[in-house]
Amino acid sequence: RTAALAWFIKTETLTAGFRSLAGPQRATHLQAHRDWVAAHRAAGMAIASGFLVDDQRRPGGGGLLVLQAGSYAEACALIAQDPLIAGGWVDWQLHEWIAAAGDLAL
């Protein structure tokens, strides 16, 4: 990707509505999200998604999405297309990340 692209970090927590879904319903929504990320990766975008766990590796800390985009508005518009966001299944925040040391390649 070109140097003009910036890194963005989206943090999220699952809504009470999502947590109240039956396991198979949750799995369907999570798979749609993973498929969305995979499609963008296949198109050449630097993007990765995952979930946070505690010291016992138990989930519940929320999720994290890292991506490159040309602007905050571009990143926000892209994230709005994520099935978890579009479905209202997560509460989220987006921040541009300005690296101060090291580098990152996805």
Side-chain angles (χ1 to χ4, degrees):
R1 308 287 299 202
T2 67
L5 296 177
W7 285 103
F8 294 88
I9 309 290
K10 177 188 61 91
T11 56
E12 66 187 23
T13 55
L14 299 172
T15 63
F18 185 88
R19 292 190 309 271
S20 71
L21 294 174
Q25 290 175 303
R26 286 193 309 265
T28 297
H29 292 298
L30 291 170
Q31 187 59 52
H33 165 75
R34 287 189 293 267
D35 292 345
W36 177 82
V37 171
H40 285 292
R41 286 185 58 80
M45 175 177 274
I47 185 170
S49 179
F51 58 96
L52 305 173
V53 297
D54 66 14
D55 63 338
Q56 302 298 308
R57 298 190 52 81
R58 293 177 298 219
L64 183 73
L65 181 95
V66 179
L67 70 141
Q68 278 189 309
S71 67
Y72 186 93
E74 182 183 314
C76 201
L78 178 71
I79 286 168
Q81 300 168 19
D82 179 339
L84 289 178
I85 302 298
W89 298 118
V90 296
D91 295 318
W92 59 280
Q93 292 187 325
L94 178 67
H95 298 278
E96 182 176 350
W97 177 58
I98 299 173
D103 67 20
L104 180 65
L106 297 176

